Amino acid sequence: MATSVLLACGLNEQKLPGFVHISEESNVDGSFLISCILGQRLRISNAGTLLVCLQHHYQHYFNAGMRLGYNTNIFQGKTLGVIDVLSDMAGEGLASKWLRQSEGQTLTDQLVEDIRAQVESNYASRNSYTVLIDNLSILFNLGASKLQVQQFCQDLAALAKERDNLTVITKLSNSDIYQLTDNNVAKLGQVRIQVLRLKSGVFREVDGKLLIERVLDEGNYACEETRKEVLYKVNDRNVKVFTPGEIGVKV
Amino acid sequence: MTSFRKRTVQKPIRGTRTSPHTAQVITSSGNPYLDVVIGGGLPMGSICLIEEDRFMTHAKVLAKYFLAEGVLSKQEIFLGSLDDLPAEMLRCLPKPLTELETEVEQQEEQQAQGAGGTENGLRIAWRYNDLPLVNSEHATAKIGHHFNLMEQMDSMMLYYANTTMWDDNYKGILELFKSSSPTPSTLEQQPVEDAPPIPGEENTPLEKTQPQEENSANNNNNNNSSSVTSSTKTGSQESQSQVFHNARYGNLLNDIQHLLRDESFVAGTKKNLCRVCLTSLGSPLWYDEHFGEDLIKFLTLLMASVRNCNSVCLITMPMHLIAKYDASLVPKIRQLVDYAIELESFAGSERETHPAFKEYSGLLHLHKMSALNTLAVHMPDTTDLAFKLRRKKFVIEKFHLPPELQESTAKPDSCISGVLSNSNASASLDF
């Protein structure tokens, strides 16, 4: 279903790097990656996952998951925890806690607090724990400043460093607009996946390009890293990956 | 104990059906041609953005189709605008065609196409005769209706429509709002006195709609205690001023959320669908110092509300003006909607008189189609689309250039090149 794309990104292992960042260019939809990663984490026994819904509701991930062959409802409340910010805002309207700065706490402060609380209560009983955040640009939309978002990501990166087997995966849309924040957040982790559109236009057999950058060894003076580029196509029930040159225009 | 379970099929919401491709509940946009482009219709919980043409003629037509479809399907309608008079817009909705009229129209079209085909019968590439015509983008839709733009909808249909309108009624109370005095924030109905009456009719349909709305609002209030309602309203006003700099966004969002919280639109219950239509959102009338910030925040909260219940939303925005205000707002806005469709009209441009474009009124650009509640998004056969506003209907077709019958050594015009491709011609291929 989604094994090939996870294999290409190096995210198909049980133990993931501490911090992974997904950059999404404007006019490109990379939310399939979140669904793929979520499915992979849920399939591992006794692996905890926390999904922070900022771009889509939980229902979207449930439906996308059903297409990929897993049912999130089975795991919810057990190994899967959900912070559905969008549903809260829809239900409570403008009085929602995410829109108010209660006791001087900003939106990002409240979110970090909630994530920490979830990790504290679940981490001990799990072999590994993954926090998935989709997506950071909604924080900007809701009024968070660049500094606040940067601080939010640094807090999460610190959380991942504090604990073994804790992974934080963030996604940022419109990475070409929020370039500074995108680069700074990517620096916090070892793996960066860029979801890019095809510069040559729209092609029926390929949706876009994934550029995977992985830091292998960060020394004092030199940094060894690998870069891999693959093309992807999101189908109804799976995601296919091609190496550049594999697929071409059929005459 | 047996594992047998009686299969209970829930009745679908009026005017909706389940898409066989994505298994999503979809509803018609009102225009059958647009439905075909977006994969059968708008999925429930989606937001469709129509980027207005310069003279705002074509985007308004699509908005009217959207509203008219809601009236015919007996769905709840919310119409909000600062630039247009919502009551006037509702009054000018197109008249639906009967099944017989639709059939006759389709037969006439087929005959016209057939006649054209025999006259211009292909003698060299004759095998192409078997293929469907290039401009046969139209397909039969099981949901949705056909409308006649030349005639207006019957007033009795509007009489029974559940409509809620929002406009700049808050102009007068903005000052009060700033001083945080308690003001009612119930669903505002367009005052009937403002709307020009239809000649020859004493009681306009909208006048009759108002008591219905009031009744329903009263019914809702009856369920809750009045003291609680008033206290929450005051709280919401305070939070509005905290969230938005421009109080209009808060008022509009409050009204939409108030309507969408109705139990008939709760997700999962198949009772009714709400159509939210906002025209000319982000026009200069919305401008203030924090325009971009407020607009993006409003759209984020609107997205949260629309996705959380049985509703669909159509927004028209003057994106060319917004791009001039702040170019970075355009991708941010497109990210917050599920469909972003730009209408590029030829009116006022050199293409208007160009022979290659004489058949069309403009080009239709699909900027974004996102997968909502599914993994993959439906992609139309082609993204090179053009539209034409005929006398009776708004047609979307595959864009094609007329055949070049005369040999010429002249280079193709600059305005044609680049139209057929979304790509940058100088860029190298990615594969």
Side-chain angles (χ1 to χ4, degrees):
Chain A
M1 300 282 181
T3 321
S4 56
V5 70
L6 292 172
L7 202 67
C9 298
L11 300 176
N12 61 325
E13 294 154 21
Q14 289 218 357
K15 185 172 165 42
L16 295 180
F19 195 94
V20 178
H21 180 62
I22 301 167
S23 312
E24 195 183 84
E25 224 180 7
S26 298
N27 283 336
V28 176
D29 191 5
S31 53
F32 70 92
L33 275 176
I34 297 289
S35 296
C36 293
I37 296 167
L38 181 64
Q40 193 262 351
R41 299 319 292 170
L42 291 178
R43 283 194 181 102
I44 300 170
S45 67
N46 204 28
T49 311
L50 175 65
L51 179 65
V52 182
C53 305
L54 285 164
Q55 168 134 38
H56 294 289
H57 286 288
Y58 166 73
Q59 200 61 27
H60 167 83
Y61 300 101
F62 165 72
N63 287 312
M66 291 301 277
R67 294 263 150 188
L68 284 170
Y70 64 89
N71 186 345
T72 51
N73 281 350
I74 294 171
F75 302 98
Q76 201 188 359
K78 295 166 191 166
T79 57
L80 174 65
V82 179
I83 300 176
D84 201 341
V85 178
L86 279 193
S87 290
D88 288 351
M89 287 193 302
E92 291 164 36
L94 297 176
S96 168
K97 70 168 185 175
W98 306 108
L99 298 171
R100 284 179 291 133
Q101 294 195 353
S102 55
E103 297 163 9
Q105 272 202 320
T106 60
L107 164 70
T108 49
D109 291 341
Q110 289 181 55
L111 203 52
V112 167
E113 208 169 83
D114 278 24
I115 292 169
R116 271 189 183 276
Q118 287 268 359
V119 171
E120 295 293 343
S121 59
N122 293 309
Y123 177 75
S125 57
R126 304 287 168 214
N127 293 338
S128 63
Y129 204 80
T130 311
V131 181
L132 282 161
I133 298 164
D134 183 24
N135 87 46
L136 296 174
S137 67
I138 300 295
L139 298 176
F140 286 118
N141 294 351
L142 294 174
S145 64
K146 282 179 188 172
L147 188 68
Q148 284 170 353
V149 174
Q150 184 65 33
Q151 188 60 49
F152 171 72
C153 292
Q154 277 182 341
D155 288 348
L156 292 177
L159 195 70
K161 277 180 189 163
E162 281 169 22
R163 292 167 171 81
D164 287 334
N165 293 330
L166 178 74
T167 304
V168 176
I169 300 174
T170 57
K171 195 184 90 173
L172 178 72
S173 292
N174 293 333
S175 60
D176 42 347
I177 296 172
Y178 305 113
Q179 208 168 12
L180 186 71
T181 309
D182 184 49
N183 287 333
N184 288 340
V185 173
K187 287 272 180 208
L188 297 171
Q190 293 82 39
V191 180
R192 180 191 195 177
I193 303 163
Q194 293 187 59
V195 189
L196 308 167
R197 62 172 176 268
L198 297 177
K199 296 285 180 287
S200 51
V202 182
F203 183 36
R204 182 161 287 279
E205 290 173 49
V206 175
D207 284 340
K209 193 160 60 174
L210 294 177
L211 180 63
I212 302 127
E213 294 168 324
R214 181 181 274 260
V215 177
L216 295 176
D217 183 26
E218 204 167 0
N220 290 332
Y221 299 105
C223 174
E224 192 186 339
E225 63 174 24
T226 58
R227 284 164 66 94
K228 190 160 67 172
E229 202 176 291
V230 289
L231 304 170
Y232 70 88
K233 168 73 183 166
V234 184
N235 292 316
D236 198 23
R237 290 179 183 275
N238 58 32
V239 183
K240 284 187 176 170
V241 172
F242 312 98
T243 50
E246 187 183 338
I247 198 159
V249 178
K250 287 167 191 161
V251 183
Chain B
M1 186 169 168
T2 62
S3 61
F4 174 77
R5 278 186 192 171
K6 190 178 178 184
R7 193 178 171 191
T8 51
V9 181
Q10 268 194 311
K11 211 177 161 187
I13 300 170
R14 282 187 301 263
T16 65
R17 72 177 168 99
T18 307
S19 165
H21 305 295
T22 58
Q24 286 175 290
V25 178
I26 54 172
T27 186
S28 172
S29 66
N31 185 296
Y33 301 94
L34 185 62
D35 286 346
V36 172
V37 172
I38 58 177
L42 292 168
M44 200 130 67
S46 64
I47 300 179
C48 180
L49 169 69
I50 306 289
E51 299 181 11
E52 288 173 0
D53 46 301
R54 285 189 182 184
F55 300 107
M56 293 199 301
T57 41
H58 303 103
K60 251 181 212 170
V61 172
L62 285 180
K64 282 179 184 172
Y65 270 118
F66 180 77
L67 294 167
E69 180 62 39
V71 173
L72 271 197
S73 305
K74 291 173 185 156
Q75 294 162 349
E76 186 90 26
I77 290 170
F78 183 97
L79 173 59
S81 180
L82 274 186
D83 292 48
D84 308 305
L85 283 173
E88 187 59 31
M89 197 167 169
L90 273 181
R91 202 165 291 166
C92 301
L93 293 184
K95 186 188 170 190
L97 295 178
T98 59
E99 282 183 18
L100 190 69
E101 284 172 329
T102 312
E103 274 180 29
V104 169
E105 193 178 88
Q106 283 173 353
Q107 280 173 0
E108 280 174 4
E109 260 186 28
Q110 282 170 1
Q111 280 172 0
Q113 285 173 355
T118 48
E119 280 169 19
N120 307 320
L122 296 169
R123 279 168 291 177
I124 299 168
W126 51 272
R127 277 176 181 273
Y128 286 108
N129 274 330
D130 298 336
L131 293 174
L133 288 172
V134 182
N135 58 357
S136 63
E137 191 63 47
H138 174 69
T140 52
K142 286 176 187 172
I143 47 169
H145 300 84
H146 293 259
F147 297 93
N148 182 357
L149 290 173
M150 287 286 284
E151 294 179 55
Q152 289 183 0
M153 190 179 272
D154 185 21
S155 56
M156 282 309 287
M157 281 186 181
L158 288 167
Y159 175 85
Y160 290 109
N162 293 321
T163 54
T164 307
M165 288 171 274
W166 183 94
D167 69 355
D168 201 14
N169 283 338
Y170 295 94
K171 265 178 192 168
I173 60 168
L174 268 178
E175 291 307 312
L176 289 171
F177 209 80
K178 280 175 187 168
S179 61
S180 73
S181 64
T183 52
S185 66
T186 52
L187 296 175
E188 286 289 325
Q189 194 76 33
Q190 166 73 15
V192 181
E193 293 79 24
D194 291 353
I198 294 174
E201 277 187 43
E202 285 183 3
N203 287 330
T204 60
L206 292 169
E207 282 171 343
K208 291 173 185 173
T209 319
Q210 194 173 17
Q212 277 187 341
E213 287 297 324
E214 280 172 1
N215 287 340
S216 63
N218 288 338
N219 288 340
N220 290 339
N221 288 342
N222 288 342
N223 295 335
N224 307 322
S225 65
S226 57
S227 59
V228 173
T229 316
S230 61
S231 67
T232 51
K233 277 173 190 168
T234 316
S236 71
Q237 284 166 12
E238 282 170 11
S239 53
Q240 272 179 39
S241 55
Q242 262 191 14
V243 176
F244 295 107
H245 296 97
N246 185 344
R248 283 169 177 167
Y249 289 102
N251 293 329
L252 177 58
L253 191 73
N254 236 359
D255 288 358
I256 294 171
Q257 286 183 335
H258 185 91
L259 179 66
L260 295 181
R261 271 189 217 124
D262 193 281
E263 61 176 13
S264 56
F265 309 125
V266 174
T269 59
K270 297 192 170 181
K271 287 183 180 171
N272 202 357
L273 180 94
C274 183
R275 282 178 183 251
V276 180
C277 182
L278 307 175
T279 60
S280 298
L281 183 72
S283 69
L285 288 177
W286 291 90
Y287 283 4
D288 70 346
E289 283 176 19
H290 303 274
F291 168 70
E293 197 184 320
D294 276 354
L295 181 65
I296 294 294
K297 199 182 278 184
F298 171 80
L299 285 172
T300 310
L301 297 175
L302 180 71
M303 178 184 78
S305 300
V306 169
R307 284 190 181 164
N308 207 37
C309 60
N310 295 342
S311 60
V312 284
C313 181
L314 184 125
I315 307 172
T316 70
M317 288 176 102
M319 207 58 102
H320 57 284
L321 295 179
I322 292 172
K324 279 179 186 162
Y325 183 91
D326 182 0
S328 70
L329 279 176
V330 176
K332 285 180 191 172
I333 290 169
R334 283 181 188 156
Q335 193 233 328
L336 294 170
V337 298
D338 301 297
Y339 297 92
I341 299 165
E342 184 192 347
L343 300 178
E344 184 197 340
S345 173
F346 295 150
S349 72
E350 58 175 11
R351 287 177 180 175
E352 192 176 12
T353 50
H354 197 284
F357 301 109
K358 67 178 180 186
E359 270 189 52
Y360 306 109
S361 307
L363 296 175
L364 188 137
H365 303 285
L366 282 173
H367 287 296
K368 190 189 175 189
M369 292 178 83
S370 66
L372 180 67
N373 293 328
T374 184
L375 201 62
V377 67
H378 166 268
M379 281 304 288
D381 293 338
T382 177
T383 50
D384 297 319
L385 297 162
F387 64 87
K388 49 183 150 187
L389 186 59
R390 288 188 183 160
R391 275 193 324 134
K392 288 184 180 177
K393 59 185 175 180
F394 184 90
V395 181
I396 300 168
E397 293 179 347
K398 285 178 192 170
F399 176 71
H400 66 276
L401 292 171
E404 197 173 348
L405 299 173
Q406 292 172 341
E407 285 186 13
S408 66
T409 52
K411 285 183 181 177
D413 288 346
S414 58
C415 65
I416 301 174
S417 61
V419 165
L420 283 172
S421 166
N422 297 329
S423 65
N424 180 3
S426 60
S428 59
L429 289 172
D430 292 285
F431 40 83

